[in-house]
Amino acid sequence: MSELYPVAVTVNGIQVAREIEPRMLLSDFLRHELNLTGTHVGCEHGSCGACTVLLDGEAVRSCILFAVQVDGQSVTTVEGLSADPNRLHPLQVAFQEKHGLQCGYCTPGFLLTLAPFLAENPAPSEAEVREVLSGNICRCTGYQNIVDAALLAAEMLRSEKGG
Amino acid sequence: MATRYFGQPIKRNEDPRLLTGQATFTDDVHLPGMLHVAFVRSQVAHGRIRSIDTTAAQAMPGVVAVYTAADLGAYWQPGPLLVPPPPIQDLVFNPRTQVPLARDKVRHVGEPIVAVVATSRYIAEDAAEQVFVDLEMLPAVVDLEQALTPAAPLIHEDLAQNLNAHVIQRKGDYAQARAQAAVIVKRRFLYDRGTAAAMENRGVVADWDARNQQMTIWDTTQAPVFIRNGLAAMLGLSEKQVRVIAPFIGGGFGPKIMMFYPEEVVLPWISMRLGRPVKWIEDRLENFYATTQERGQIHWAEMALTQDGRVLGVHDTFLHDAGAYAPYGLTVALNSQCTLLGQYDVPHYYTEFKSVFTNKPIVTPYRGAGRQHGVFVMERLLDIAARELSIDRVEIRKRNLISPDKFPYSNDIIYQDFKPLVYDSGNYLPALEKACALIDYEKFVQEEQPRLRAEGKAVGLGLVTYVEGTGIGPYEGAKVTVEASGRVSVATGIGTQGQGHFTSFAQIVADQLGVTPDKVRLVTGDTTEFYWGAGTFASRGAVVAGNAINAAALAVRKKVLKKASDELEVDEDDLELVDGTVRVKGSPQTAIKLGELAQRANPMRGAVKPGTEPGLEATDYFGPERGATASGVHAMIVEVDRATMMVEIKRYVVVHDCGSVINPMILEGQIHGGVAQGIGNAFYEQLVFDENGQLLNASFMDYLLPTTDTVPRIETDHVETPSPLNPLGIKGAGEAGAIPVGPLFAQAIEDALNNEIEILEIPLSPSRLYELVSAAEKAP
Ligand code: FES
Ligand code: FES
């Protein structure tokens, strides 16, 4: 076992500090150290997108980052997507509404890929949604309902802002 | 009458948990004191184990134990044969099943040899690298046709050749068909391997509680009851001492069935031995080698037809790649054999296959489970015959469809459920016509295609049909309970992997008991909650468990009515179940809440009438007499880029018939997902093995799964021919989307390329198309 290093990260708004091996993946850190098991791993080589989380607001793949690399930064996982734990985020509502998930294993990665994208592109076209999601793999849905959910979420977010 | 939930696109009950990261998957289970297991796996496809040196690994800090086959002692046994051979005359069957840890030989890359247990997964994997296995490499059997030649090395040395099975089945007499035929078309067809690639890899957590003498196992299985029974027997425990939980599962598609995978068998043993919980989670690389795969077959097929395109008979001989072991019997090959004739009325059929052992990962059902191959052969033969006879491809299909008055329709051969292959019901022409109308067949052929071709575009259309045997037995069961809160709980033995069972089953119960589906809480996949069952496979969950749940809910409904009639002193016939209450028809103020009734049915004091069971609860079972046959038509329009040979799908249409539909939203989702996997199988995914049996593309970088930019929007429509074999009239739908996509691609691409090439293989790819076109250009 190698030496332990301290990391301090803000995860879903809460400060956490741990001593960990430098080789510990961010995905393992979140899942097994912090018990935030909503972040899933499908490949652990950066190609499926299941492990996507937000790092200082940007979508990153937590399976190809070491936890020590995010020291001092802020991470958002699917557990923290909705600011209000008693209410679903519009993306989550839209995924349920449009049946954008089946087994749900890939879903957290899709949600967290879409969250920053919709913040920047409040009114995307279908082609743009397909483009931004082209690096996330879902084996169950055939994507159509995910794309529709993303478009619906965009609409909901727009009217939330407007209203 | 309250709304009927059956048939409604109800939103899924399970979604909020999945969307917020609260659903428990196997790798989410964390137990105090838990250890982690990594496996040392064979790096060669075929070899003899000379020695294993685990000293260095054992000495590493954090390593708790290292086990080889020798350590397993009497526990070391080949896995169970999951499906016995069917009762077919003169059948040859040589069962060989996988072993927990390889002992003297390894037979495919990835076969586990040593289990390393450590305090963390990182350490376990480090230590696995310090285990030294001395292997004598043997030549590998990779090619299917070579496998049976006398020169081929023997994979199982106690067999005379690498033959797993040999099966011949006949309908009518093909020689007669041949004698009468005006035309014979004959080809060799190849269908190569792919992998299910569920997004969640496999995993097992085993926890032996010595104090309570209880074993709890979390397992990514589609069939927890079967696994519980098998493991209890192996571990020398009673079934009641073993609890198998199949929690949320990130996609199953077949390979997560009740396999008794080596890891599934070894983990509980380790937990008992060490008295600590242990976890093993497969990684993606392992998944490519150690999880079962499907698809390798070679067919030599011919079709005999009359001049006007009536099919008189089909003759098909094929080789089926079983991989290194064949625990799942002949299911896949039988499906190919039994699905081939499809929607067509064919009087004479000769079908023969040899299932062959190779030094490749094990083959067991993956979505479609062999049906693809049969459909590919039949649909291709029809296309080739249509061309030869100058008959339109839709017309030749219409001429051969089984007419609706012929059901039940028998194909006279034995199906994978060991019953004669009889289609229960069907109405094929309307679906075919709907598909033609949706894709605008006439207009495309007569106007669009000529116009686009004139513009230099290579556009083509495909249209194919298929059947799917679904919802086979033996049985499923369910327990339905009305709780004092007024909520209803339902337990059934199957596992669920994203099919929306929590919702569709709730809809069935909601209708019977007059509650809303969100009041129905479903438990699947926990053997403590429900003792009996078979599992989720063969598109049977909705059909078999759905009907069991319906039967149990109906029994509870009867109890509710009886109890309410006593309480309210009203005749049962005058009562109705609405909005969570039982009330008197026409005078809704005379009512009693379901929860209240449940309480009264389980009183604290007083006497219960003799012969009455306490509570409002019932358990019931359903076993269909035989499988229900679903069917459908897929059509698509593609454009081929002649420079890159990329194929772009312009439109994709599915018209399906899976009997009565519980939840159309969930059904559509199943079809979308099936089609996406079919597209992958037809054009993107192929497991490439070299001559040594090494897989050359074992990562998502190299094995291409369909993504948002390759799966088009899918337009669906349906025909509803209820199954007479179950009270709800449903047929399964889980696999339908994936079945006919191969021949659809083949036909559409040939059409787009003006029939310059003939496609006799799946999967295709841009480079393969390029090779085919180049070869055709060079041909004289
Ligand atoms: S698990 Fe990180 S990209 Fe697949
Ligand atoms: S819903 Fe199962 S992988 Fe996407």
Side-chain angles (χ1 to χ4, degrees):
Chain A
M1 209 186 311
S2 45
E3 223 177 300
L4 299 184
Y5 281 73
V7 270
V9 197
T10 307
V11 181
N12 299 331
I14 297 168
Q15 262 285 329
V16 296
R18 290 282 193 284
E19 302 243 304
I20 55 166
E21 280 190 72
R23 64 174 175 171
M24 177 175 278
L25 300 176
L26 177 57
S27 51
D28 283 341
F29 179 72
L30 294 169
R31 293 180 44 75
H32 303 307
E33 283 290 316
L34 305 184
N35 209 8
L36 291 168
T37 53
T39 299
H40 296 154
V41 293
C43 69
E44 291 177 289
H45 54 252
S47 9
C48 76
C51 65
T52 305
V53 298
L54 302 185
L55 184 61
D56 289 340
E58 248 180 77
V60 297
R61 305 200 159 187
S62 61
C63 75
I64 45 172
L65 280 170
F66 294 116
V68 289
Q69 283 177 280
V70 306
D71 186 40
Q73 287 175 277
S74 127
V75 174
T76 308
T77 68
V78 69
E79 288 92 343
L81 177 60
S82 173
D84 174 356
N86 298 312
R87 237 182 100 227
L88 295 179
H89 184 277
L91 266 166
Q92 293 164 322
V93 174
F95 266 66
Q96 180 175 28
E97 190 67 39
K98 290 289 177 187
H99 188 29
L101 65 156
Q102 289 183 27
C103 76
Y105 198 77
C106 68
T107 313
F110 275 88
L111 296 174
L112 290 159
T113 305
L114 284 166
F117 168 73
L118 292 182
E120 264 181 42
N121 293 277
S125 65
E126 171 166 352
E128 287 168 325
V129 168
R130 283 190 179 261
E131 165 79 32
V132 73
L133 292 180
S134 64
N136 286 67
I137 298 172
C138 170
R139 197 55 160 162
C140 299
T141 63
Y143 303 108
Q144 181 167 332
N145 291 347
I146 292 179
V147 171
D148 289 347
L151 293 169
L152 174 65
E155 206 181 300
M156 290 166 67
L157 285 161
R158 284 199 304 272
S159 63
E160 220 171 60
K161 260 207 187 132
Chain B
M1 182 66 205
T3 358
R4 194 163 181 240
Y5 293 107
F6 191 103
Q8 300 296 316
I10 308 280
K11 283 186 278 177
R12 302 200 318 170
N13 286 343
E14 54 268 58
D15 286 357
R17 264 186 295 169
L18 289 163
L19 284 161
T20 53
Q22 305 305 319
T24 301
F25 291 84
T26 301
D27 190 27
D28 302 346
V29 174
H30 294 123
L31 300 171
M34 189 165 74
L35 299 171
H36 299 263
V37 181
F39 286 89
V40 179
R41 296 174 183 279
S42 175
Q43 299 187 0
V44 303
H46 198 188
R48 214 177 297 284
I49 299 175
R50 287 204 198 105
S51 65
I52 302 172
D53 181 359
T54 63
T55 8
Q58 304 238 23
M60 288 173 68
V63 172
V64 176
V66 181
Y67 299 115
T68 64
D71 297 306
L72 294 176
Y75 189 68
W76 191 97
Q77 291 290 334
L81 177 65
L82 302 166
V83 184
I88 295 171
Q89 233 192 345
D90 299 328
L91 168 139
V92 176
F93 184 56
N94 301 312
R96 291 296 177 278
T97 57
Q98 73 284 357
V99 298
L101 293 171
R103 194 165 56 180
D104 17 64
K105 261 190 101 171
V106 288
R107 297 184 174 88
H108 68 86
V109 177
E111 188 166 3
I113 306 171
V114 179
V116 178
V117 191
T119 50
S120 86
R121 180 174 178 182
Y122 288 74
I123 298 172
E125 289 189 11
D126 283 349
E129 283 185 9
Q130 298 305 315
V131 170
F132 301 100
V133 181
D134 184 13
L135 276 169
E136 175 199 343
M137 261 184 81
L138 299 170
V141 181
V142 180
D143 182 272
L144 260 187
E145 286 173 272
Q146 301 283 310
L148 290 179
T149 57
L154 288 176
I155 297 169
H156 299 280
E157 283 154 21
D158 53 336
L159 293 177
Q161 50 172 341
N162 295 314
L163 182 72
N164 166 228
H166 184 192
V167 175
I168 298 175
Q169 296 211 73
R170 292 183 184 85
K171 173 187 186 184
D173 174 14
Y174 181 76
Q176 252 185 56
R178 207 170 202 286
Q180 292 165 18
V183 198
I184 305 267
V185 291
K186 191 173 173 175
R187 295 289 188 280
R188 174 184 184 272
F189 298 98
L190 173 70
Y191 211 116
D192 206 358
R193 273 193 190 218
T195 180
M199 291 314 296
E200 179 202 32
N201 292 310
R202 289 182 299 123
V204 184
V205 176
D207 181 19
W208 171 244
D209 173 354
R211 201 182 294 267
N212 290 305
Q213 296 284 297
Q214 278 290 333
M215 173 68 83
T216 308
I217 299 163
W218 287 262
D219 187 2
T220 52
T221 176
Q222 296 170 220
V225 174
F226 209 86
I227 290 290
R228 186 238 5 237
N229 296 352
L231 288 179
M234 291 177 203
L235 295 164
L237 298 173
S238 103
E239 286 171 11
K240 296 263 156 79
Q241 284 176 285
V242 180
R243 175 184 184 189
V244 175
I245 302 169
F248 275 96
I249 291 182
F253 314 124
K256 284 182 181 161
I257 211 156
M258 63 286 211
M259 281 292 302
F260 296 93
Y261 278 106
E263 304 88 354
E264 236 166 0
V265 170
V266 171
L267 267 272
W269 179 88
I270 296 177
S271 179
M272 273 182 104
R273 176 103 168 195
L274 297 176
R276 288 176 72 172
V278 289
K279 179 193 262 189
W280 165 75
I281 299 297
E282 185 181 57
D283 68 22
R284 185 53 62 184
L285 183 67
E286 291 180 291
N287 184 271
F288 270 101
Y289 292 104
T291 288
T292 57
Q293 307 174 344
E294 208 207 277
R295 306 280 141 102
Q297 286 183 3
I298 304 172
H299 289 247
W300 291 263
E302 69 173 59
M303 179 181 266
L305 303 101
T306 63
Q307 196 59 45
D308 60 356
R310 288 278 321 172
V311 180
L312 295 168
V314 174
H315 188 287
D316 180 39
T317 310
F318 66 97
L319 291 178
H320 168 78
D321 182 356
Y325 304 93
Y328 216 76
L330 300 177
T331 305
V332 175
L334 281 174
N335 272 339
S336 308
Q337 185 166 64
C338 289
T339 309
L340 188 139
L341 295 180
Q343 304 189 355
Y344 309 108
D345 193 355
V346 179
H348 304 287
Y349 180 37
Y350 174 92
T351 167
E352 170 178 1
F353 71 81
K354 285 183 176 161
S355 173
V356 174
F357 289 117
T358 59
N359 288 118
K360 284 183 273 181
I362 302 170
V363 166
T364 65
Y366 157 40
R367 201 176 202 166
R371 299 178 181 89
Q372 280 92 337
H373 313 69
V375 172
F376 183 66
V377 169
M378 185 70 181
E379 293 294 318
R380 291 277 65 204
L381 286 172
L382 280 172
D383 287 337
I384 294 161
R387 263 203 300 278
E388 233 161 86
L389 293 164
S390 304
I391 301 175
D392 172 80
R393 61 196 135 160
V394 172
E395 182 54 32
I396 198 168
R397 288 175 166 82
K398 280 187 184 167
R399 284 184 196 172
N400 287 289
L401 292 180
I402 300 167
S403 62
D405 56 315
K406 290 207 171 170
F407 291 92
Y409 178 89
S410 174
N411 264 325
D412 299 352
I413 56 177
I414 300 291
Y415 188 47
Q416 62 143 312
D417 59 356
F418 297 4
K419 302 274 172 60
L421 177 63
V422 177
Y423 300 170
D424 55 334
S425 63
N427 191 6
Y428 299 146
L429 186 61
L432 182 58
E433 284 174 340
K434 256 191 189 180
C436 287
L438 261 175
I439 201 113
D440 233 336
Y441 181 70
E442 294 299 330
K443 185 158 175 232
F444 178 81
V445 174
Q446 272 149 33
E447 297 168 30
E448 295 280 304
Q449 193 176 32
R451 181 174 60 77
L452 291 164
R453 274 197 180 143
E455 291 172 19
K457 290 192 170 144
V459 289
L461 183 148
L463 186 145
V464 300
T465 80
Y466 62 95
V467 298
E468 186 200 352
T470 73
I472 59 169
Y475 78 95
E476 287 300 334
K479 180 165 79 184
V480 173
T481 313
V482 177
E483 296 173 0
S485 61
R487 302 181 71 88
V488 181
S489 76
V490 181
T492 177
I494 64 167
T496 187
Q497 309 91 37
Q499 298 91 338
H501 291 143
F502 297 93
T503 310
S504 47
F505 292 164
Q507 288 174 251
I508 294 174
V509 174
D511 280 344
Q512 290 293 4
L513 297 179
V515 296
T516 48
D518 62 342
K519 289 274 184 302
V520 181
R521 181 175 168 272
L522 207 98
V523 184
T524 67
D526 183 340
T527 58
T528 303
E529 300 271 350
F530 200 78
Y531 194 83
W532 302 97
T536 306
F537 53 88
S539 300
R540 68 190 291 281
V543 185
V544 189
N547 275 287
I549 287 168
N550 185 52
L554 190 66
V556 173
R557 179 188 175 87
K558 286 193 182 133
K559 285 191 178 175
V560 166
L561 287 171
K562 181 159 187 309
K563 182 74 184 156
S565 137
D566 290 351
E567 296 282 333
L568 300 173
E569 298 180 340
V570 194
D571 206 58
E572 280 184 38
D573 291 342
D574 295 330
L575 292 171
E576 59 183 2
L577 275 68
V578 182
D579 293 340
T581 64
V582 193
R583 65 187 195 195
V584 177
K585 288 180 195 161
S587 83
Q589 42 318 334
T590 317
I592 183 163
K593 289 210 169 89
L594 268 186
E596 165 91 35
L597 202 63
Q599 260 170 28
R600 292 198 204 171
N602 183 23
M604 288 292 289
R605 294 285 183 278
V608 171
K609 277 194 197 166
T612 336
E613 290 166 23
L616 300 174
E617 177 174 287
T619 299
D620 212 334
Y621 299 88
F622 177 76
E625 168 194 337
R626 55 171 188 272
T629 306
S631 60
V633 181
H634 288 206
M636 76 171 176
I637 293 173
V638 300
E639 179 171 346
V640 181
D641 179 333
R642 278 198 179 258
T644 62
M645 286 295 162
M646 265 312 286
V647 172
E648 190 195 341
I649 303 173
K650 295 288 194 187
R651 285 189 66 198
Y652 200 111
V653 165
V654 177
V655 180
H656 56 91
D657 183 351
C658 55
S660 308
V661 175
I662 309 173
N663 184 322
M665 176 191 85
I666 289 174
L667 171 64
E668 296 240 323
Q670 286 288 318
I671 290 178
H672 293 173
V675 169
Q677 288 186 8
I679 290 172
N681 177 210
F683 202 71
Y684 296 96
E685 301 174 38
Q686 182 169 20
L687 293 169
V688 182
F689 292 89
D690 71 6
E691 69 279 11
N692 298 316
Q694 293 288 349
L695 182 56
L696 301 179
N697 56 343
S699 85
F700 283 166
M701 248 79 103
D702 303 309
Y703 183 87
L704 300 181
L705 295 171
T707 52
T708 44
D709 44 9
T710 47
V711 183
R713 209 158 258 286
I714 294 153
E715 305 161 53
T716 54
D717 198 351
H718 66 281
V719 170
E720 246 185 73
T721 315
S723 172
L725 300 177
N726 64 75
L728 295 175
I730 36 193
K731 299 178 175 183
E735 301 173 88
I739 292 173
V741 192
L744 187 66
F745 262 78
Q747 190 194 102
I749 292 171
E750 282 179 0
D751 188 28
L753 298 177
N754 234 333
N755 293 323
E756 285 160 28
I757 55 169
E758 191 173 79
I759 295 174
L760 304 173
E761 67 195 50
I762 287 295
L764 300 163
S765 63
S767 48
R768 185 62 190 141
L769 286 182
Y770 179 79
E771 283 170 8
L772 290 173
V773 170
S774 310
E777 278 166 0
K778 277 191 210 112

